[in-house]
Amino acid sequence: MWKVVWAALLLLATVCVQRGYTKEAKGAQSLGHVSVVIVGGTGDLAKKYLWQGFFHLYANQVSSGYSFSFYGGGLSPNDKATPILFDVLKGVVCPRELSVERCALVKEQFLRLAEYRQLNTSEDYQALGTHLTEQLRQEGIVEAGRLFYLSVPAFAYADIAEKINNSCRPTDGAWLRVVLEKPFGHDFSSAQLLSTQLGASLKDNEMYRIDHYLGKQVVSKILPFRRENSKHLDLIWNKHHIERVEIVLKETLDAKGRISFYEQYGVIRDVIQNHLTEVMTLLTMELPSNLSNTNEVLKNKLKIFSALQRLDRNCAAIGQYQAYNAEVQEELSKTREHFSLTPTFAGIMVHIDLAQYEGMPVILTSGKMLDERVGYARILFKNDIFCIQSYSSVHCKPKQIVFYFGHGTLQYPAILVSKNLFKPDLMDTEWKEVTEHKDVSVLGLPISDYYVLTPTVEREAYAELILHIFQGRKDSFISAENLLASWSFWTPLLQSLADTFPRLYPGGADNGNMLDFKQLGRKVTFANEALVMVTQDHIGGSGRESFQVMQGKYRSADMVSAWSKELIVRLAADLQVAAENAVRECGRFHLALSGGSSPLALFQRLARHHYSFPWRDTHVWMVDERCVPLTELDSNFRTLHDHLLQHVKMSYFNIHPMPVQMNQRLCVEEDSGALLYESEITQLVNASSFHFVLLGVGYDGHTASLFPGSKLDASGNSLVAFTESPAKPHQRMSLTLKAINQAQKVGVLVMGKSKHELVTQLSRVKDNPKHWPITGIRPTSGRLVWYIDYDALLG
């Protein structure tokens, strides 16, 4: 009986305090009523994090002198969505510091203060605005502010912001805060457009662009840790002592249920452009004199963005888990011929053009379907001690600082400093040192080899940021300048990767070392040569060894098939044999190579293993070329140069790029570039018959730059012609079918599981060069050989 009476009195006291002012709070700031509206209030994010975060805010502020009301908004009508909302609200959990009795009272009151409202039309927002104002008038309370959390797709932001501006602005003297969830755009131009659209309805100080990583306790501690330990770090936080910085976010989940979103964004836009980039700036920016000065922090972040070296496709290694394409086909109702190029894994190397960090790589890595769920940033220092005997000594082990975001083997957020560096200072009561450890390892070191700092009380990131929004703190949110600087940096890489095929990987522990990547100067490449994944389902035997190189027939021509690695080895060997025979017979070897991604592994194989290849007597020609300057990344010649020509000894006069740029113009008929290249072939190549022409084949059946629907007969007896591609850049220069079919040997290289449907289809169609240009490859007196790997052949 007394418990019931006491609970009722406590609840009454709570309500009374809400409607009044406390002495402590009155002096700090003007108090009043706060209306919270979650647009998308029954969505996945709201269910998982937002309502829990706002309940924690209410529980901590209920006695501060503020009063609250909470609204879940959505497109569904009230009768349908209200039960869903309250099922979510009943599941919120109280902060640990609340007693059981207090928890029950606060939770009951929270439920009383919440309601669902349909928010779809302008009239709905007008009705909400009228309701909020009328509530204040009826209860005779002062308004402190209105908080709108837009947990909806980004395309709806501008429209909702306009409705809020027109109908839901608070009374004079009260604040308006509108929270925006990522993604903030798709690239630089879309982010700029969105920023302009929002700026038409909202002031900059009213917008809170949320990146929940900035609410993680370890991430928010990076700058304070650097400041608190500056006496140790000032001397070693530079290129002379740091070997590299790694920022990693690994996930074990797939993209099921989010395919529509993921197809638009992929791993770089989803987590690297925002979460990991923000961590990078916190680790490398100059320490501001005042950590709480938002403008100074932003200024120092922007200095880092302005110093980042431009990224291109050579700075990234991308992958895609094997089942992703089937998930795309299922969820988006795509045909079996559809193949997605969206990366689900990326390893990217960034360099900062500042004297402090010159040459020091910053590696950003994230992926789905990996071996564990974990996030961390590691600063790996150079070790100047060389151990002769005591290899297990702490001095012989890696020197590193790890900002461990959570999960993984450790399971809790922490900052770890290896004991051969320094003992970190502990400057506040919110963090503690862990001295009793489980028997685990973190990034190669037993936990006992670290000094370990962890939060005294773990707090969820969204709850932290919601509190900051309520307090009007903007230091944990993304400014417009910061956002556009980030997109300006990442957009060129995203554009350069748009047509790049990701490496397929099986997922989980089966990935093995398939996704390991390495640094080659300023480039990133996968550490092993495997191009596609191998599964035993394909081979019907006990393992890879049971299915080696196989020869047969395909479309009435010779075929060589093997696993990708063995196939490249075989093709490289065949090329060398052809080269040696040609040099022996006529003193030179004429080789024509096409563009695309398929021959890259071949180029690398030739450069790294075939040291006896007769390069001095070899002439390299281009099968086709995009109409871009030869120095640009889209140029086929640039790709050939970067992956092969610069690594072998050849005479400059033996290299023959296509003249797509003449008279400071690209592919203009009047410049006669095609005729010039044809003349060069006629003069140097005996009977205009190349010794070896290597081709690929596109998903639409095109080869070289001869595309379906092209007037292949229009070039007549020409050896070189201008053509047009359906993809940018549209203008191309290409050898004609006549030039290719005069060759002594033509090889067609087809690799990857994504080409299986094409290989199957080509095996059934008749020769029809107009619709399938590859079927027009019929050497007049030479030999055609198809090089098809098992993934393309068997699927």
Side-chain angles (χ1 to χ4, degrees):
M1 179 66 181
W2 279 108
K3 285 185 178 180
V4 174
V5 173
W6 176 249
L9 290 172
L10 185 58
L11 177 59
L12 181 60
T14 297
V15 175
C16 290
V17 169
Q18 277 189 298
R19 295 295 186 256
Y21 296 86
T22 62
K23 292 180 180 179
E24 295 81 6
K26 188 173 181 180
Q29 54 182 309
S30 175
L31 306 183
H33 187 78
V34 177
S35 303
V36 174
V37 183
I38 303 180
V39 185
T42 56
D44 191 53
L45 181 66
K47 290 177 181 177
K48 286 182 178 178
Y49 299 109
L50 301 186
W51 285 115
Q52 182 65 55
F54 279 108
F55 175 62
H56 273 226
L57 172 71
Y58 175 73
N60 291 324
Q61 298 294 325
V62 68
S63 300
S64 67
Y66 285 101
S67 62
F68 291 84
S69 55
F70 297 92
Y71 303 89
L75 302 179
S76 301
N78 290 4
D79 58 345
K80 181 178 179 181
T82 296
I84 299 173
L85 175 63
F86 279 90
D87 280 344
V88 175
L89 297 183
K90 290 172 185 176
V92 297
V93 178
C94 288
R96 293 178 182 176
E97 57 268 24
L98 290 190
S99 66
V100 175
E101 292 84 0
R102 176 70 170 165
C103 173
L105 291 172
V106 172
K107 190 170 179 179
E108 181 181 350
Q109 184 65 15
F110 181 68
L111 290 172
R112 290 177 183 273
L113 296 173
E115 68 174 272
Y116 177 85
R117 294 188 71 95
Q118 185 174 21
L119 293 177
N120 187 2
T121 65
S122 297
E123 291 74 19
D124 293 332
Y125 282 87
Q126 289 170 1
L128 173 63
T130 301
H131 169 79
L132 296 179
T133 303
E134 185 64 19
Q135 181 189 43
L136 295 168
R137 188 189 64 78
Q138 287 180 353
E139 299 192 21
I141 51 180
V142 176
E143 183 169 33
R146 298 180 185 181
L147 194 163
F148 286 80
Y149 199 118
L150 306 193
S151 180
V152 295
F155 65 76
Y157 287 169
D159 178 58
I160 295 174
E162 183 180 10
K163 291 172 180 173
I164 292 171
N165 180 48
N166 291 338
S167 307
C168 298
R169 280 199 167 273
T171 54
D172 291 341
W175 48 256
L176 172 66
R177 292 167 191 160
V178 180
V179 188
L180 307 167
E181 268 286 343
K182 76 171 185 69
F184 315 115
H186 185 265
D187 54 17
F188 178 78
S189 59
S190 61
Q192 196 172 40
L193 176 61
L194 178 60
S195 182
T196 301
Q197 290 173 332
L198 289 170
S201 302
L202 302 171
K203 301 172 185 176
D204 190 62
N205 65 350
E206 294 173 335
M207 288 184 274
Y208 287 72
R209 298 174 187 86
I210 194 167
D211 182 337
H212 78 271
Y213 249 60
L214 295 180
K216 288 182 176 290
Q217 289 169 284
V218 168
V219 175
S220 65
K221 186 67 173 176
I222 290 175
L223 290 182
F225 176 86
R226 290 179 58 193
R227 167 60 51 78
E228 292 159 8
N229 293 277
S230 58
K231 65 181 181 183
H232 304 294
L233 296 176
D234 282 352
L235 294 176
I236 62 174
W237 208 256
N238 55 62
K239 64 183 180 183
H240 301 296
H241 295 273
I242 298 176
E243 182 175 315
R244 66 175 181 266
V245 175
E246 303 168 3
I247 306 171
V248 177
L249 175 58
K250 299 203 294 184
E251 298 181 79
T252 56
L253 295 176
D254 55 24
K256 283 183 180 177
R258 296 181 68 226
I259 293 294
S260 179
F261 167 85
Y262 213 80
E263 268 296 273
Q264 296 179 61
Y265 291 94
V267 66
I268 297 176
R269 291 181 173 94
D270 187 28
V271 295
I272 295 180
Q273 177 272 330
N274 36 71
H275 300 334
L276 303 196
T277 300
E278 285 300 308
V279 173
M280 176 180 69
T281 60
L282 293 172
L283 289 172
T284 56
M285 65 186 278
E286 180 184 347
L287 277 175
S289 56
N290 181 358
L291 297 185
S292 60
N293 186 323
T294 305
N295 291 331
E296 189 179 0
V297 171
L298 172 60
K299 178 182 175 183
N300 290 0
K301 279 187 175 183
L302 294 177
K303 285 182 181 178
I304 290 296
F305 279 116
S306 65
L308 295 176
Q309 293 187 3
R310 183 184 173 91
L311 295 178
D312 59 43
R313 69 179 70 181
N314 291 318
C315 301
I318 59 173
Q320 183 189 99
Y321 65 82
Q322 185 196 12
Y324 180 79
N325 195 58
E327 293 167 4
V328 171
Q329 293 172 358
E330 180 181 355
E331 289 193 28
L332 303 184
S333 301
K334 299 290 185 180
T335 64
R336 291 188 64 191
E337 290 75 24
H338 177 82
F339 185 75
S340 170
L341 297 181
T342 302
T344 61
F345 166 85
I348 300 165
M349 185 171 61
V350 175
H351 284 90
I352 304 172
D353 195 12
L354 292 174
Q356 182 179 359
Y357 302 121
E358 185 180 7
M360 182 196 79
V362 180
I363 297 171
L364 309 181
T365 305
S366 185
K368 290 187 172 295
M369 292 290 285
L370 301 182
D371 59 324
E372 63 174 335
R373 181 188 181 192
V374 69
Y376 62 85
R378 169 164 75 159
I379 296 86
L380 181 64
F381 293 87
K382 300 172 183 177
N383 197 335
D384 54 1
I385 297 177
F386 182 77
C387 297
I388 301 299
Q389 291 183 211
S390 303
Y391 302 115
S392 60
S393 166
V394 67
H395 300 293
C396 308
K397 296 180 179 180
K399 294 181 177 182
Q400 54 196 25
I401 298 174
V402 182
F403 295 93
Y404 199 88
F405 309 145
H407 304 292
T409 57
L410 198 55
Q411 289 297 308
Y412 58 83
I415 300 174
L416 305 98
V417 180
S418 55
K419 291 182 176 178
N420 53 3
L421 267 175
F422 60 86
K423 182 177 175 61
D425 292 334
L426 198 63
M427 302 293 286
D428 59 52
T429 58
E430 294 186 357
W431 286 70
K432 63 182 179 181
E433 183 177 358
V434 179
T435 54
E436 295 183 5
H437 305 295
K438 298 182 294 182
D439 185 19
V440 297
S441 294
V442 177
L443 300 182
L445 291 182
I447 191 68
S448 57
D449 282 354
Y450 292 102
Y451 297 111
V452 182
L453 307 180
T454 191
T456 306
V457 178
E458 286 188 42
R459 294 190 295 270
E460 204 281 320
Y462 274 101
E464 280 286 280
L465 293 176
I466 286 169
L467 175 61
H468 290 184
I469 297 164
F470 173 73
Q471 295 170 337
R473 287 178 49 186
K474 298 211 72 173
D475 52 311
S476 300
F477 299 88
I478 309 299
S479 69
E481 299 96 322
N482 193 136
L483 174 67
L484 294 177
S486 179
W487 275 122
S488 179
F489 172 64
W490 286 105
T491 297
L493 174 66
L494 291 165
Q495 291 174 342
S496 71
L497 291 174
D499 297 323
T500 301
F501 286 86
R503 169 176 289 193
L504 296 180
Y505 59 94
D510 291 340
N511 294 334
N513 64 357
M514 287 187 65
L515 297 178
D516 293 348
F517 57 91
K518 62 184 179 181
Q519 176 182 355
L520 293 174
R522 293 297 173 97
K523 298 180 182 179
V524 170
T525 181
F526 283 113
N528 60 74
E529 295 183 5
L531 296 177
V532 292
M533 60 157 292
V534 177
T535 62
Q536 292 190 5
D537 294 338
H538 292 171
I539 60 180
S542 59
R544 181 186 183 110
E545 294 76 14
S546 65
F547 219 19
Q548 295 296 327
V549 178
M550 177 182 73
Q551 292 184 251
K553 292 287 184 180
Y554 179 76
R555 289 188 56 83
S556 303
D558 292 330
M559 178 189 70
V560 176
S561 192
W563 293 113
S564 55
K565 182 176 181 179
E566 286 78 8
L567 185 69
I568 291 298
V569 171
R570 171 61 181 268
L571 176 54
D574 287 355
L575 268 173
Q576 180 155 349
V577 168
E580 291 170 346
N581 289 341
V583 171
R584 186 167 50 251
E585 292 174 9
C586 57
R588 63 183 63 180
F589 174 56
H590 289 284
L591 171 64
L593 297 169
S594 63
S597 59
S598 295
L600 295 185
L602 172 68
F603 298 162
Q604 293 164 6
R605 174 78 192 180
L606 290 170
R608 295 175 187 172
H609 298 280
H610 289 255
Y611 300 110
S612 61
F613 197 100
W615 293 113
R616 295 181 186 277
D617 300 309
T618 297
H619 285 252
V620 174
W621 302 81
M622 301 302 298
V623 169
D624 62 331
E625 183 56 274
R626 296 176 169 93
C627 289
V628 297
L630 299 183
T631 54
E632 288 196 6
L633 291 174
D634 283 340
S635 166
N636 290 341
F637 178 77
R638 168 71 186 272
T639 301
L640 175 63
H641 172 270
D642 289 354
H643 291 275
L644 177 61
L645 298 182
Q646 70 172 338
H647 302 294
V648 298
K649 290 187 176 181
M650 292 187 69
S651 168
Y652 169 82
F653 299 102
N654 287 10
I655 300 172
H656 307 279
M658 282 183 160
V660 292
Q661 186 174 22
M662 299 176 67
N663 301 320
Q664 298 182 335
R665 302 186 296 186
L666 289 169
C667 294
V668 176
E669 290 279 357
E670 301 92 278
D671 294 336
S672 303
L675 290 175
L676 183 64
Y677 203 59
E678 179 171 334
S679 175
E680 192 175 1
I681 293 171
T682 304
Q683 292 175 21
L684 298 177
V685 181
N686 185 32
S688 301
S689 175
F690 295 105
H691 294 108
F692 202 117
V693 174
L694 180 65
L695 303 173
V697 56
Y699 294 101
D700 57 359
H702 84 264
T703 191
S705 281
L706 307 174
F707 295 91
S710 301
K711 298 178 181 179
L712 303 183
D713 297 331
S715 53
N717 290 321
S718 299
L719 302 179
V720 186
F722 286 115
T723 65
E724 189 166 331
S725 165
K728 292 183 178 180
H730 298 299
Q731 286 184 295
R732 309 287 176 95
M733 185 183 289
S734 178
L735 295 184
T736 62
L737 288 178
K738 174 180 174 63
I740 296 171
N741 286 329
Q742 287 181 177
Q744 296 179 27
K745 183 174 181 179
V746 178
V748 181
L749 179 61
V750 190
M751 294 200 301
K753 192 180 182 69
S754 61
K755 293 287 179 73
H756 174 63
E757 292 295 331
L758 173 67
V759 169
T760 302
Q761 201 161 8
L762 285 177
S763 69
R764 299 168 180 164
V765 301
K766 297 179 179 180
D767 290 349
N768 187 348
K770 183 176 181 180
H771 292 97
W772 301 93
I774 188 65
T775 64
I777 305 301
R778 298 185 297 271
T780 50
S781 58
R783 179 186 174 208
L784 171 62
V785 179
W786 293 80
Y787 293 87
I788 309 176
D789 77 349
Y790 287 142
D791 283 281
L793 186 65
L794 304 177

